[in-house]
Amino acid sequence: MENTFGINILPHNDQERVKALKRYKILDTPPEGAFDNVARLATQIFNVPISLISLVDLEQVYFKANIGMGKARTTDRGVSLCSLAVMQEGVTVFENASEEPCLLANPNVAGEFGLKFYAGAPITTFDGFRIGTLCVIDKTSRVFDENSRKIMESLAKIVMDEIELRLAAIEEIAKQQDLNEETEAANEKLQSTIEELVTTKQEVETLNGELAANNQEIVAANEELKQIQESLIESNTKLQESEELKNIAIEQAELGIWYIDASTREFIPSKRLKEFFGYFDHEIMAYDAAINHIREDFREKVANAVEQAIQTGKAYDIEYPIITHRDKQQRWLRATGKLNPAANGKNSYLSGTIMDVTERKEDDQRKNDFISMVSHELKTPLTSMKGYIQMLKSRATTSEDKFAVGILDKANKQSKKMSAIINGFLDMKRIETGKIQIDRQVFDLAELVKESEEESRATISSHEIVFAPVGKTMVEADRDKIGQVITNLISNSVKYSPAGSTINVACVNNDNMARVSVKDQGMGISKENQSHLFDRFYRVESEEMDNISGFGIGLYICDEIIHMHHGEIWVESELGKGSTFHFTIPI
Ligand code: ADP
């Protein structure tokens, strides 16, 4: 680089030089007291108006101190004498610039300023770079001796020392600042860590609080669970106990149990039940098979009872004989069944028990056989006896022996009672063996009721029997047997109600059926007993019954007779208040 006037102002090492200058971080910085002082000292020492501390950058010259040259802070490197001064090691001096041909074009020299004297000592770094100058300037020419040069060099050294000091200070400050910043950052970090810790602590505390609350809840829930568990265990034990008891009861009672799903008709028989039917436990016994083992004459009745129970929920309790699976033995069973309505997502199902009653039935059978044999044997002598009584009575009537007539009447009544009993037994036997016969004839039921009225008036004096008027009611039935049923119901009412009480007999028509009713004000029958009343040999067991004799076959026979006529027989009764027996037969 040359200056504007053709002088080389660029040192060979300018790049490194500028780099060295930049190390000191001083370019383009405001004036500082220390530098001003040196410059001012130079003006005083040399008695000049101007002194500058210039720093020579790549394009510009910066005045770090400026004494006496206005407010200028920089100038072009090209016009600056200082850029010349850094070119050589020693002090550059122009004692009279106007006489220096190379400076004649310099605006400072030639221009308004009119520079005449210039002396500049380079400011040299410890490693030999001339980064600027300390110079003194005057507008008049002067002489500058060797001693002055040395002073200038010393002052330039002081400036360099100041620059070094300044840098050290700057670095120290920077370091401090860094340190401060680091500390600050560390502090900030610490602060945020502390804040984090505080928040964490608070969170932990709230969590802890929540945990504690949760814990309490868990403890309470646990306690509740424990109680529930305990009561479950307790009820389970109770259930097990009652289940065991039930099983023991079933075992001891030798009960077979079974179950039929009302909708799928799935049939589940117990092991004991299978045994009754002659099956092994591992063998499948379907419902149809069970029904087919029932003796033919009972089969329909049982199947109907099961079907009825499923359809109407009506419980049943029936006895029937079966023929067992392999050995074809007859066995009597008593079966109960009851519908359990659908619940808890389970279909409604019919379940019940089956008990082997063969032994009792066989006993009954022997008893029956004996009774019927005796009855049969009694029947002939009784018939003869009745004949003799009749003969005697007609004799006594002729001879007007009133006493004998009276006695023979009583004997006749008693023999009639006796033959009724015997006939009952014989009827029972006939029913059992299917030998009972219905002799149908068309007759007026009203007339039959009238006959019963007359008969009871003649034979019963202990009760007031009231017959309601009956309209003509033509039926086709066995006249004697229907009469037998009416007589039986009236005599039961007499038997089971107190002397002097009223008995009402009525016969009405309803829905093509004639209905006969016998109502008393007697002891009545409990609901439980009502369902068995029509069973053979069934008698209510009570203290009141102790003094009333009977065999428990009257209602059984009535039931059979009415059913043979496709009618119904039933009782309405309340214990202690009286009973009304009804039967219907088709008109
Ligand atoms: P019996 O009268 O010979 O005992 P039944 O078959 O005629 O036999 O009657 C069966 C049972 O029904 C009787 O033992 C009695 O307990 C009861 N019973 C029948 N009729 C009446 C009635 N009118 N009032 C109360 N109980 C009756």
Side-chain angles (χ1 to χ4, degrees), residues 292-491:
N292 280 330
H293 282 289
I294 296 170
R295 209 174 69 191
E296 214 184 332
D297 50 333
F298 279 82
R299 204 172 289 158
E300 206 185 313
K301 188 179 164 192
V302 178
N304 283 344
V306 172
E307 207 47 44
Q308 274 254 313
I310 291 175
Q311 301 301 335
T312 66
K314 191 177 157 211
Y316 67 82
D317 184 347
I318 42 178
E319 291 181 354
Y320 53 85
I322 58 161
I323 309 297
T324 58
H325 182 40
R326 258 172 281 266
D327 47 8
K328 309 285 176 216
Q329 294 287 308
Q330 174 165 296
R331 175 173 264 168
W332 277 86
L333 300 178
R334 175 176 171 190
T336 62
K338 190 169 171 262
L339 189 73
N340 303 276
N344 301 331
K346 236 172 127 182
N347 285 343
S348 63
Y349 64 95
L350 193 66
S351 68
T353 58
I354 287 187
M355 198 195 290
D356 187 336
V357 291
T358 311
E359 218 167 291
R360 173 165 67 70
K361 278 286 171 181
E362 282 172 356
D363 276 355
D364 277 0
Q365 200 53 54
R366 282 189 285 272
K367 193 162 81 184
N368 292 349
D369 289 348
F370 177 74
I371 291 170
S372 52
M373 185 194 78
V374 172
S375 307
H376 197 78
E377 292 305 313
L378 284 176
K379 205 176 151 73
T380 323
L382 185 63
T383 314
S384 325
M385 214 160 86
K386 269 159 98 183
Y388 298 137
I389 291 169
Q390 289 301 323
M391 279 166 66
L392 274 177
K393 199 191 156 190
S394 62
R395 271 250 183 118
T397 311
T398 325
S399 62
E400 292 184 11
D401 184 344
K402 278 188 182 159
F403 176 76
V405 170
I407 295 290
L408 287 169
D409 262 347
K410 281 182 181 155
N412 196 32
K413 250 190 212 171
Q414 294 305 321
S415 64
K416 260 192 179 168
K417 266 193 189 171
M418 211 183 204
S419 71
I421 292 170
I422 288 167
N423 281 334
F425 286 130
L426 292 174
D427 279 345
M428 186 186 76
K429 179 74 187 169
R430 282 188 209 112
I431 289 167
E432 229 170 63
T433 52
K435 282 182 188 149
I436 194 163
Q437 292 255 322
I438 299 290
D439 295 324
R440 286 178 196 275
Q441 58 182 104
V442 177
F443 67 94
D444 185 358
L445 195 55
E447 270 175 27
L448 184 66
V449 174
K450 189 109 209 118
E451 276 171 32
S452 304
E453 187 180 350
E454 279 158 14
E455 192 194 307
S456 57
R457 194 155 292 148
T459 52
I460 301 161
S461 51
S462 56
H463 292 70
E464 193 191 343
I465 306 183
V466 180
F467 282 81
V470 184
K472 191 173 178 180
T473 309
M474 299 307 288
V475 291
E476 190 185 358
D478 189 319
R479 200 174 191 278
D480 288 349
K481 291 201 168 61
I482 297 298
Q484 192 183 327
V485 172
I486 297 171
T487 310
N488 207 310
L489 295 182
I490 293 172
S491 63

Side-chain angles (χ1 to χ4, degrees), residues 42-56:
T43 60
Q44 287 163 359
I45 291 169
F46 299 109
N47 193 26
V48 289
I50 300 160
S51 174
L52 305 167
I53 295 174
S54 328
L55 299 165
V56 181

Side-chain angles (χ1 to χ4, degrees), residues 492 495-496 520 525 533 538-540 545 550-552 554-555 581:
N492 273 354
K495 247 163 102 177
Y496 301 108
D520 65 49
I525 308 145
L533 230 49
Y538 190 85
R539 302 201 75 218
V540 173
M545 290 289 294
F551 293 98
L555 288 179
F581 282 82

Side-chain angles (χ1 to χ4, degrees), residues 488-497 518-526 529 532-542 545 548-558 571 573 575 578-581:
N488 207 310
L489 295 182
I490 293 172
S491 63
N492 273 354
S493 286
V494 170
K495 247 163 102 177
Y496 301 108
S497 60
V518 181
K519 183 181 172 198
D520 65 49
Q521 293 161 356
M523 60 176 71
I525 308 145
S526 71
N529 283 315
H532 297 290
L533 230 49
F534 301 94
D535 293 349
R536 194 174 56 171
F537 298 129
Y538 190 85
R539 302 201 75 218
V540 173
E541 278 176 28
S542 72
M545 290 289 294
I548 308 167
S549 63
F551 293 98
I553 59 167
L555 288 179
Y556 164 72
I557 292 166
C558 292
V571 64
S573 180
L575 202 62
S579 316
T580 308
F581 282 82

Side-chain angles (χ1 to χ4, degrees), residues 87-362:
M87 292 294 287
Q88 59 179 38
E89 206 176 310
V91 180
T92 300
V93 179
F94 301 112
E95 290 186 333
N96 187 352
S98 54
E99 286 175 3
E100 300 281 340
C102 62
L103 293 180
L104 285 177
N106 187 294
N108 292 320
V109 177
E112 208 182 319
F113 187 75
L115 181 147
K116 288 271 167 44
F117 169 74
Y118 174 91
I123 301 165
T124 309
T125 65
F126 66 95
D127 47 355
F129 292 108
R130 292 183 287 272
I131 56 171
T133 61
L134 166 67
C135 68
V136 285
I137 294 168
D138 200 351
K139 292 182 183 178
T140 54
S141 56
R142 307 176 63 117
V143 179
F144 205 66
D145 59 12
E146 197 52 32
N147 197 36
S148 297
R149 283 180 187 254
K150 281 195 179 132
I151 295 169
M152 273 305 280
E153 277 170 0
S154 297
L155 287 174
K157 264 194 194 125
I158 292 170
V159 172
M160 190 62 230
D161 285 349
E162 280 299 331
I163 291 174
E164 289 284 0
L165 268 174
R166 185 180 172 279
L167 181 64
I170 287 171
E171 279 175 352
E172 187 55 34
I173 288 167
K175 234 180 179 175
Q176 205 60 47
Q177 219 163 11
D178 279 356
L179 210 73
N180 274 351
E181 272 169 21
E182 265 173 41
T183 316
E184 219 164 280
N187 264 347
E188 266 173 32
K189 224 174 168 187
L190 200 71
Q191 190 58 33
S192 68
T193 311
I194 287 170
E195 276 165 18
E196 258 173 47
L197 274 175
V198 168
T199 357
T200 311
K201 196 180 154 219
Q202 281 170 349
E203 273 170 21
V204 167
E205 271 168 12
T206 12
L207 259 177
N208 265 347
E210 272 171 31
L211 269 178
N214 278 350
N215 246 352
Q216 276 175 353
E217 268 171 40
I218 288 170
V219 167
N222 256 346
E223 195 52 43
E224 226 171 272
L225 269 177
K226 217 171 103 186
Q227 279 173 9
I228 291 171
Q229 208 177 18
E230 274 167 15
S231 65
L232 263 178
I233 288 172
E234 201 179 310
S235 50
N236 229 349
T237 321
K238 275 187 191 158
L239 205 74
Q240 264 173 7
E241 279 169 4
S242 70
E243 193 69 12
E244 273 165 26
L245 277 176
K246 198 178 98 191
N247 287 339
I248 290 170
I250 288 173
E251 263 324 291
Q252 285 189 345
E254 308 227 319
L255 286 178
I257 47 181
W258 54 273
Y259 163 107
I260 298 172
D261 189 306
S263 20
T264 65
R265 298 297 158 103
E266 184 195 8
F267 175 64
I268 304 174
S270 75
K271 182 183 167 198
R272 174 59 51 88
L273 192 145
K274 286 184 180 175
E275 268 172 33
F276 291 159
F277 281 76
Y279 285 78
F280 294 116
D281 190 24
H282 66 267
E283 286 179 306
I284 290 174
M285 185 178 116
Y287 176 67
D288 286 348
I291 289 289
N292 280 330
H293 282 289
I294 296 170
R295 209 174 69 191
E296 214 184 332
D297 50 333
F298 279 82
R299 204 172 289 158
E300 206 185 313
K301 188 179 164 192
V302 178
N304 283 344
V306 172
E307 207 47 44
Q308 274 254 313
I310 291 175
Q311 301 301 335
T312 66
K314 191 177 157 211
Y316 67 82
D317 184 347
I318 42 178
E319 291 181 354
Y320 53 85
I322 58 161
I323 309 297
T324 58
H325 182 40
R326 258 172 281 266
D327 47 8
K328 309 285 176 216
Q329 294 287 308
Q330 174 165 296
R331 175 173 264 168
W332 277 86
L333 300 178
R334 175 176 171 190
T336 62
K338 190 169 171 262
L339 189 73
N340 303 276
N344 301 331
K346 236 172 127 182
N347 285 343
S348 63
Y349 64 95
L350 193 66
S351 68
T353 58
I354 287 187
M355 198 195 290
D356 187 336
V357 291
T358 311
E359 218 167 291
R360 173 165 67 70
K361 278 286 171 181
E362 282 172 356

